[in-house]
Amino acid sequence: MELDTTQLLQQAVQAQASDVFIVAGLPVSMRINGVITKENDTKLTPYDTSSIVTQIYRLAGNRDMHTFEAFGDDDFSFSIPGLSRFRVSAYKQRGTMSVVIRIISFSLPNPDELGIPQRIIDFSNFSKGLVLVTGTAGSGKSTTLACIIDAINHHYKKHIITLEDPLEFLHRHDQSIVSQREINVDTESYVTALRASLRQSPDVILLGEMRDYETMQVAMTAAETGHLIFSTLHTIGAASTIDRIIDVFPPNQQHQIAVQLSMVLQAVISQQLVPSIDEKMIPVFEIMTVTPAIRNMIRDNKIPQLEGIISSSAGGEIISMDSSLLTLYKEGQITAETALAYATNPEMLKRKM
């Protein structure tokens, strides 16, 4: 019996899965809340996987399978009206066709339900500068950024350009115009797209990732010339984020970059996902809004002092990771063990608890 791919995708959307895995020798599997689960015990045969992959190419407007058959890899996106948009990575493994399907949601996340504080959503009110969201892969950075972009879209008449790889959330035009470009699909690379976007009269640019110093340089210059830039880095904590940016540049440019960064940086948000008492994953944040004192520290390259300021802060402009964990613990959302396991300074946090 041939599996119905549309029905399979409907099930995945209903289950709020982020990815669907179709691999021969395994049952259909889905990633739900970060965990991969098998849908049943029926293992897919090479015939099943090839049938599903062929159906996907049909759904994607009868896309030509030639590239895939010749090279063994193909990436593309397609939509099913009224259901969702899907990003597909088809590949061959052990000579059989396989595919991983990423589900791109039409409905945007609700910051209140996810536990993203209003403090972070308020960064949508900046008119220019650089805002960084940092954390490990899968810590929810894209989701946080989608919420901020959504707030700008609802409250301001601006041109927002997002450069992402892959697109994870679709924004409908509201007060703003939202142009969403996917790297490798709509444009060649981050740096090419970023340079081009500066000629497209943007007010806000969301840059999926700052991968190299060229991209960072263009992003900082864009922030300096009056644009609001949002981007991500895989670092944890504001101090290591600033270090990381400066370190990417050649030594003879580092002082100049520190000066430039001290002028354009507006805020650094660091986040991790931690298990709550009811076994969901909830985000916890360190928030550093850049104050005049912090600007001086970045300019004079006194980054180690920055760590001290963040860890000793009790709120206001700066909220440390540990004080966010302490709040979640006091509210009964996480256990003491979880708080200490994810803390920057577990001994200090233990005393406060």
Side-chain angles (χ1 to χ4, degrees):
M1 184 190 103
E2 192 171 281
L3 286 157
D4 180 349
T5 303
T6 313
Q7 204 178 339
L8 181 70
L9 293 173
Q10 276 168 340
Q11 281 171 351
V13 171
Q14 274 163 356
Q16 295 185 332
S18 60
D19 303 271
V20 182
F21 300 86
I22 305 294
V23 182
L26 284 172
V28 172
S29 305
M30 295 182 187
R31 188 186 292 278
I32 301 169
N33 279 333
V35 180
I36 297 180
T37 50
K38 296 180 172 126
E39 283 305 284
N40 49 39
D41 298 329
T42 316
K43 290 181 176 171
L44 296 170
T45 64
Y47 173 80
D48 294 330
T49 63
S50 127
S51 153
I52 292 172
V53 171
T54 311
Q55 287 180 59
I56 288 169
Y57 274 81
R58 277 210 297 275
L59 289 168
N62 289 321
R63 181 184 171 88
D64 183 3
M65 288 185 75
H66 179 76
T67 310
F68 178 46
E69 282 159 353
F71 300 104
D73 282 294
D74 196 13
D75 288 299
F76 56 94
S77 308
F78 70 95
S79 296
I80 296 180
L83 184 61
S84 194
R85 186 171 168 82
F86 304 94
R87 161 80 187 263
V88 177
S89 183
Y91 60 100
K92 285 184 184 165
Q93 63 99 32
R94 299 188 191 174
T96 63
M97 293 185 180
S98 313
V99 66
V100 177
I101 308 160
R102 161 67 59 94
I103 295 160
I104 300 171
S105 177
F106 279 137
S107 61
L108 283 162
N110 177 334
D112 294 343
E113 286 171 14
L114 293 175
I116 300 174
Q118 188 59 39
R119 280 284 307 278
I120 289 177
I121 304 303
D122 288 344
F123 291 149
S124 60
N125 300 324
F126 285 129
S127 59
K128 62 176 194 290
L130 178 64
V131 176
L132 296 173
V133 179
T134 73
T136 52
S139 58
K141 300 186 292 289
S142 307
T143 307
T144 300
L145 283 167
C147 292
I148 299 174
I149 294 295
D150 190 42
I152 298 173
N153 189 15
H154 283 325
H155 297 114
Y156 294 102
K157 291 184 171 66
K158 292 191 169 177
H159 183 200
I160 302 167
I161 297 179
T162 78
L163 311 173
E164 299 164 87
D165 177 22
L167 288 183
E168 287 184 57
F169 297 100
L170 294 183
H171 296 271
R172 294 190 168 89
H173 308 292
D174 186 15
Q175 295 280 336
S176 291
I177 299 167
V178 191
S179 304
Q180 291 188 269
R181 305 191 69 197
E182 186 161 16
I183 310 300
N184 300 327
V185 176
D186 302 316
T187 175
E188 175 197 19
S189 67
Y190 276 120
V191 74
T192 315
L194 181 59
R195 287 211 166 101
S197 70
L198 295 173
R199 300 189 288 273
Q200 291 151 10
S201 183
D203 300 290
V204 179
I205 300 170
L206 165 63
L207 182 62
E209 208 182 311
M210 298 207 292
R211 290 195 177 155
D212 48 43
Y213 80 90
E214 215 181 345
T215 318
M216 289 182 187
Q217 199 150 31
V218 182
M220 287 204 285
T221 307
E224 217 170 20
T225 52
H227 302 91
L228 177 56
I229 313 285
F230 291 96
S231 192
T232 71
L233 281 168
H234 292 291
T235 43
I236 303 211
S240 57
T241 301
I242 291 165
D243 261 343
R244 168 72 201 284
I245 294 174
I246 296 171
D247 282 348
V248 166
F249 287 86
N252 62 344
Q253 289 182 25
Q254 291 185 352
H255 175 65
Q256 175 207 335
I257 292 303
V259 171
Q260 197 178 10
L261 189 59
S262 73
M263 283 156 36
V264 300
L265 192 63
Q266 294 276 29
V268 180
I269 302 159
S270 287
Q271 64 182 83
Q272 14 180 16
L273 285 179
V274 303
S276 68
I277 283 177
D278 52 7
E279 292 181 357
K280 286 200 179 93
M281 296 302 277
I282 56 173
V284 54
F285 298 93
E286 172 191 290
I287 306 170
M288 182 188 83
T289 314
V290 179
T291 60
I294 290 174
R295 286 191 200 287
N296 293 340
M297 277 180 199
I298 299 172
R299 193 188 56 225
D300 302 337
N301 216 343
K302 294 181 177 163
I303 312 301
Q305 291 185 16
L306 200 57
E307 273 180 13
I309 287 194
I310 293 168
S311 61
S312 63
S313 73
E317 299 290 329
I318 298 172
I319 298 167
S320 71
M321 185 62 78
D322 291 2
S323 69
S324 294
L325 285 164
L326 186 61
T327 306
L328 289 175
Y329 166 68
K330 283 181 174 164
E331 287 171 355
Q333 293 196 54
I334 60 173
T335 63
E337 291 75 41
T338 300
L340 295 171
Y342 288 88
T344 320
N345 185 337
E347 285 89 36
M348 182 83 94
L349 184 60
K350 201 166 187 178
R351 287 208 291 274
K352 287 181 181 165
M353 282 157 83

